[in-house]
């Protein structure tokens, strides 16, 4: 039996009570939609609203006396300090695709359903328009919506311990808090949940990157070029598409490997089954180090002896659809990427046919 991608539905075991509202920072155009949404959630639906503390520090929100009574009802949190993973029933994003990626990064385990409103620049992953937000939010609260389970990548970075990059109390020398930091003798291990892609590149070096790619323990190739992208189907329409890869529907269980400017005429992007384990390491004879980032964040250097292990996560991101997974995806291809947009060829007139 092959499951119909449009058959996945949002169902609640009990009515949702708490919602996390994520707003793009430093965007004045989102202030009014944010206020309207929060008033609707707290006063009309009597929901507990969680908001990141830095969102409320915006002077336009902090100095709005009319919004004060609503703001007092909020629960606030700070990224990397407060764990809210078990307190949220669903998430509402206001902004572009980056807000959805940020929501994903906040939940390193199970992710609540995400409703994303298109208020940014691209909007490939944000199918909802804000004009009719009341009825759309009500439908989600009532459990009347389709879902697409966007697979994520579970990434483990193992670094050889070096004196100059010592870590104390989970805080690196540059003051950045390490994500899910574990300590072993002589090793430093970090884990990430990634929605779009893991990018390994040559960084500031003028030399080609030279990294070995293993699949389930077998060396499959060495990448010589600007780097390599390991992406989910969701990430296939992001950096991977810009690097010449195919676009994969998010319901397809797969991992895509895409070279970035390879110095080879025959290195095509490949798709491997979900669940395989990829490992990326610097080649022993590489002239320089490499750099890795996860959904464009947490960028760090990879040296000889370090490794990046990647496989499909068991914690996908449930994305709430506007219509259904198939219609939403092709609508995004047409509206955001202008896929196969071309002026149509004229048909023949009667005289030309004769």
């Amino acid at each position: 039996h092959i499951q119909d991608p449009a058959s996945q539905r949002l169902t609640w075991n009990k009515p949702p009570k708490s919602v996390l509202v994520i707003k793009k920072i430093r965007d004045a155009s989102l202030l009014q939609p944010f206020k309207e949404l929060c008033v609707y959630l707290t006063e009309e639906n009597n929901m507990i609203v969680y908001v990141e503390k830095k969102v409320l520090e915006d002077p336009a929100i902090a100095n709005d006396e009319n919004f004060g009574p609503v703001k007092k009802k909020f629960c606030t949190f700070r990224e990397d300090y407060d764990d809210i993973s078990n307190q949220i029933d669903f998430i509402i994003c206001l902004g572009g695709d980056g807000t959805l990626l940020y929501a994903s990064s906040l939940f390193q385990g199970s992710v609540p359903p995400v409703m994303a409103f298109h208020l940014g620049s691209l909007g490939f992953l944000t199918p909802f328009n804000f004009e009719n937000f009341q009825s759309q939010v009500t439908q989600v609260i009532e459990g009347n919506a389709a879902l697409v389970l966007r697979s994520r990548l579970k990434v483990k970075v193992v670094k050889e311990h070096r004196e100059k990059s010592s870590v104390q109390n989970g805080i690196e020398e540059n003051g950045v808090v390490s994500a899910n930091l574990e300590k072993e003798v002589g090793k430093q291990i970090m884990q990430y949940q990634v929605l779009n892609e893991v990018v390994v590149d040559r960084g500031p070096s003028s030399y080609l990157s030279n990294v070995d790619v293993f699949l389930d323990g077998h060396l499959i190739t060495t990448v010589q070029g600007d780097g390599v992208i390991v992406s989910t189907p969701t990430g296939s329409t992001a950096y991977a598409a810009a690097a010449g890869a195919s676009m994969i529907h998010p319901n397809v269980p797969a991992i895509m490997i895409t070279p970035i400017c390879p110095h080879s005429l025959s290195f095509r992007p490949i798709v491997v089954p979900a669940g395989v384990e990829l490992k990326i390491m610097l080649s022993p004879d590489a002239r320089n180090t490499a750099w890795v980032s996860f959904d464009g964040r947490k960028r760090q250097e990879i040296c000889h002896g370090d490794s990046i292990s990647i496989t499909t996560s068991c914690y996908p991101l449930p994305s709430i659809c506007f219509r259904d997974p198939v219609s939403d995806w092709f609508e995004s291809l047409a509206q955001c990427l202008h896929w196969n947009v071309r002026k149509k060829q004229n048909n023949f007139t009667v005289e030309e046919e004769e």
Side-chain angles (χ1 to χ4, degrees), residues 9-12 14-16 40 45 47 90 134-145:
R9 304 292 299 180
L10 171 66
T11 55
W12 300 109
K14 55 183 179 180
Y40 179 73
N45 292 279
M47 298 199 74
F90 74 102
Q134 294 96 336
S135 60
Q136 293 169 344
V137 170
T138 299
Q139 284 189 330
V140 170
I141 293 173
E142 293 174 351
N144 182 23

Side-chain angles (χ1 to χ4, degrees), residues 211-227:
V211 296
D212 294 335
V213 180
F214 299 84
L215 193 151
D216 286 341
H218 303 284
L219 176 65
I220 57 171
T221 194
T222 297
V223 180
Q224 295 186 95
D226 280 353

Side-chain angles (χ1 to χ4, degrees), residues 181-200:
L181 185 66
E182 300 174 13
K183 292 291 291 184
E184 286 185 2
V185 177
K187 292 187 183 298
Q188 176 184 341
I189 301 175
M190 290 159 287
Q191 293 189 7
Y192 305 93
Q193 296 285 331
V194 176
L195 179 60
N196 260 0
E197 75 267 304
V198 179
V199 177
V200 180

Side-chain angles (χ1 to χ4, degrees), residues 82-350:
D82 302 315
D83 183 14
I84 58 169
S85 55
N86 294 322
Q87 301 168 35
I88 306 298
D89 290 330
F90 74 102
I91 304 168
I92 297 179
C93 293
L94 301 177
D97 293 346
T99 57
L100 189 68
L101 295 173
Y102 181 66
S104 172
S105 71
L106 293 175
F107 294 85
Q108 294 297 301
S110 180
V111 189
V114 182
M115 182 182 193
F117 284 95
H118 172 34
L119 291 162
S121 56
L122 184 61
F124 195 94
L125 306 177
T126 53
F128 288 92
N129 292 316
F130 196 75
E131 286 77 14
N132 303 314
F133 78 93
Q134 294 96 336
S135 60
Q136 293 169 344
V137 170
T138 299
Q139 284 189 330
V140 170
I141 293 173
E142 293 174 351
N144 182 23
L147 276 181
V148 57
L149 295 178
R150 298 185 178 277
S151 66
R152 298 198 293 175
L153 299 174
K154 182 176 74 172
V155 187
K156 182 171 75 170
V157 180
V158 180
K159 291 188 175 184
E160 297 292 335
H161 182 66
R162 299 173 183 85
E163 291 298 326
K164 63 178 182 180
S165 60
S166 60
V167 177
Q168 297 179 346
N169 299 325
I171 300 179
E172 299 174 2
E173 289 179 345
N174 60 5
V176 178
V177 178
S178 301
N180 294 342
L181 185 66
E182 300 174 13
K183 292 291 291 184
E184 286 185 2
V185 177
K187 292 187 183 298
Q188 176 184 341
I189 301 175
M190 290 159 287
Q191 293 189 7
Y192 305 93
Q193 296 285 331
V194 176
L195 179 60
N196 260 0
E197 75 267 304
V198 179
V199 177
V200 180
D201 61 63
R202 61 190 174 99
S205 173
S206 58
Y207 295 113
L208 295 174
S209 69
N210 203 325
V211 296
D212 294 335
V213 180
F214 299 84
L215 193 151
D216 286 341
H218 303 284
L219 176 65
I220 57 171
T221 194
T222 297
V223 180
Q224 295 186 95
D226 280 353
V228 64
I229 305 165
V230 179
S231 61
T232 62
T234 295
S236 71
T237 50
Y239 192 178
S246 295
M247 294 178 288
I248 304 174
H249 190 278
N251 277 110
V252 178
I255 298 174
M256 187 157 60
I257 303 169
T258 307
I260 307 170
C261 297
H263 199 232
S264 166
L265 297 177
S266 59
F267 197 164
R268 300 289 188 88
I270 60 171
V271 178
V272 297
V276 301
E277 182 169 359
L278 296 168
K279 180 178 277 190
I280 299 176
M281 301 181 70
L282 271 181
S283 298
D285 55 353
R287 291 184 176 184
N288 56 299
T289 61
W291 290 74
V292 62
S293 60
F294 314 92
D295 283 342
R297 308 179 81 216
K298 309 289 185 183
R299 185 170 169 81
Q300 54 197 269
E301 191 174 15
I302 298 297
C303 302
H304 284 94
D306 300 342
S307 66
I308 306 163
S309 298
I310 305 169
T311 190
T312 305
S313 170
C314 59
Y315 300 110
L317 183 143
S319 181
I320 299 172
C321 300
F322 179 66
R323 290 189 181 88
D324 60 75
V326 174
S327 299
D328 283 12
W329 194 67
F330 279 99
E331 180 74 13
S332 292
L333 283 181
Q335 296 297 323
C336 300
L337 299 183
H338 303 293
W339 178 64
N340 199 26
V341 173
R342 179 190 183 277
K343 189 175 181 180
K344 285 194 175 182
Q345 189 178 46
N346 293 331
N347 62 342
F348 286 127
T349 63
V350 176

